[in-house]
Amino acid sequence: MEREVLKEKILRLKEEKDVLILAHFYANSEVQDIADKVGDSFKLAKDAQNADNKIICFCGVNFMGESAKLLNPDKKILIPDIESGCAMADMVNLDDLDGIKERYDDVAIVSYINTKADVKSKSDVCVTSSNAMKIVSGLPNKNIYFLPDRNLGRYIADKLQDKNFIFHEGYCKYHNFVDYEEVKALKEKYAYDVLVHPECTSEVVSLGDCVGSTKALLDYVEKTKKAGYIVCTEEGILHQMNKVSPKSEFIIPTSMKACEDMKKNSLENLYKVLVDEGPEIVLDEAIMERASQPLKKMMEMS
Ligand code: 13P
Ligand code: SF4
């Protein structure tokens, strides 16, 4: 089908069926462009929570669709490709959480939003990279079991010295492998500011002129509009960075690979999911009740 015709069909179905289309910054550009809202994982979770449309279609990865369902359980949540997972979320086994509460006194289980619903159901609070510092510092607990991202966990632990962190050793299979030497060499060659997502290692973070969530990095570009940037996060964000600062040059290190699961969102499967009204996120009722609590707590504390 011709591109423009496909876009028109998506827009028509969206109106007819009262669908809110949400897209993460890492989705393909044409998916970002057709979405009602584009954002980081926190902003999109909030948009999903506040949506009054009949249906929400989440163009991201599975944990994002699940979080939308947990925050707005009466809505039908569609996802263009039900196989779009997150390698980091897949690194947690439920039994990783066994015995944590018994082993440590006064411990809070803090789950990055990049976790599956069953893991959230055993957590005290969720965080995203945009609010982790604020939320963890606001917790009364001395001990923090932080999962799964060891890199984000260590980034905030460095700044919250009064807490005792216990880390799960999960990581993003893309951000974790951004190469320090490559970024350092790029910084020396171009003298551009380095933008780093905290899912990168602490070595790479140490090179960052701005470290933060996808939205924080985008806001930095919009505010500073410099000649160029070295961008240590997934390439999908460049679509919005180019819009807010079209004259800047953006360089992604070759060691920063694209997230294959985010790229499973296409106009083709977006159209199909709207026609079929499926695949849909379906969660076990008992898990939903418990898993929504840490997400709601995150919303209250943000
Ligand atoms: P953000 O919350 O910064 O959008 O990050 C989501 C993510 O999965 C990064 O890999
Ligand atoms: Fe998960 Fe990494 Fe992809 Fe983000 S970039 S969705 S953390 S695999």
Side-chain angles (χ1 to χ4, degrees):
M1 207 184 302
E2 208 248 299
R3 262 12 239 156
E4 291 312 310
V5 177
L6 184 55
K7 285 182 200 166
E8 266 172 39
K9 289 191 169 204
I10 290 171
L11 292 172
R12 202 170 321 126
L13 275 174
K14 187 182 96 66
E15 289 309 313
E16 274 168 29
K17 299 193 177 194
D18 190 20
V19 184
L20 176 74
I21 302 179
L22 301 177
H24 189 267
F25 288 131
Y26 296 164
N28 289 311
S29 316
E30 46 184 12
V31 172
Q32 291 189 37
D33 284 343
I34 209 156
D36 295 293
K37 290 172 194 274
V38 186
D40 65 4
S41 48
F42 176 65
K43 156 88 170 32
L44 294 175
K46 215 176 167 75
D47 289 335
Q49 184 180 34
N50 296 333
D52 49 19
N53 306 67
K54 276 201 199 117
I55 299 175
I56 298 170
C57 181
F58 213 123
C59 303
V61 290
N62 224 294
F63 76 78
M64 296 179 175
E66 287 190 356
S67 298
K69 184 72 185 171
L70 293 169
L71 288 164
N72 206 340
D74 297 334
K75 306 293 177 195
K76 183 182 260 194
I77 312 289
L78 302 176
I79 182 155
D81 186 337
I82 202 76
E83 301 296 320
S84 53
C86 165
M88 184 197 298
D90 291 343
M91 287 178 193
V92 188
N93 296 313
L94 255 196
D95 53 16
D96 297 344
L97 298 176
D98 287 351
I100 296 289
K101 292 275 182 182
E102 290 72 36
R103 233 175 300 146
Y104 303 95
D105 285 344
D106 189 26
V107 64
I109 298 181
V110 179
S111 281
Y112 194 19
I113 198 168
N114 300 37
T115 43
K116 294 179 183 172
D118 57 353
V119 171
K120 288 187 174 79
S121 76
K122 293 189 176 265
S123 306
D124 294 307
V125 66
C126 291
V127 297
T128 72
S129 54
S130 66
N131 59 28
M133 202 80 78
K134 183 171 179 198
I135 290 178
V136 177
S137 66
L139 291 173
N141 313 72
K142 172 83 181 154
N143 290 318
I144 305 294
Y145 180 72
F146 192 93
L147 77 153
D149 190 11
R150 63 185 184 197
N151 293 324
L152 175 64
R154 290 192 167 95
Y155 174 66
I156 59 168
D158 269 2
K159 301 196 188 309
L160 300 176
Q161 300 278 343
D162 57 324
K163 305 275 187 197
N164 176 47
F165 279 75
I166 306 111
F167 302 105
H168 188 278
E169 289 295 328
Y171 55 85
C172 167
K173 72 172 184 181
Y174 305 105
H175 288 85
N176 187 66
F177 296 104
V178 177
D179 182 53
Y180 169 78
E181 293 300 335
E182 184 190 6
V183 178
K184 190 162 160 282
L186 286 169
K187 189 171 182 156
E188 278 162 14
K189 179 170 174 196
Y190 292 96
Y192 289 164
D193 281 5
V194 178
L195 314 180
V196 184
H197 196 282
E199 288 175 10
C200 297
T201 62
S202 54
E203 269 189 313
V204 174
V205 163
S206 73
L207 296 170
D209 297 285
C210 175
V211 181
S213 71
T214 47
K215 175 76 169 78
L217 303 181
L218 178 63
D219 288 348
Y220 182 81
V221 170
E222 185 164 23
K223 200 171 79 191
T224 55
K225 292 190 173 66
K226 295 198 174 175
Y229 303 88
I230 296 151
V231 184
C232 302
T233 194
E234 214 271 353
E235 58 167 29
I237 190 75
L238 296 194
H239 186 54
Q240 301 299 330
M241 287 184 173
N242 274 309
K243 285 188 189 179
V244 300
S245 189
K247 293 192 178 137
S248 302
E249 181 184 14
F250 297 100
I251 298 172
I252 302 252
T254 59
S255 51
M256 176 76 239
K257 305 291 184 214
C259 176
E260 287 172 22
D261 285 274
M262 284 286 186
K263 301 307 182 219
K264 287 178 182 165
N265 293 284
S266 65
L267 285 188
E268 284 76 7
N269 58 16
L270 174 54
Y271 173 63
K272 188 164 186 318
V273 78
L274 295 181
V275 173
D276 298 345
E277 293 192 30
E280 175 186 354
I281 299 281
V282 181
L283 294 170
D284 179 274
E285 286 288 328
I287 286 187
M288 273 183 76
E289 178 56 30
R290 280 179 281 126
S292 62
Q293 301 308 321
L295 274 173
K296 286 182 190 156
K297 188 162 177 182
M298 172 182 88
M299 289 303 179
E300 284 160 23
M301 291 183 75
S302 295

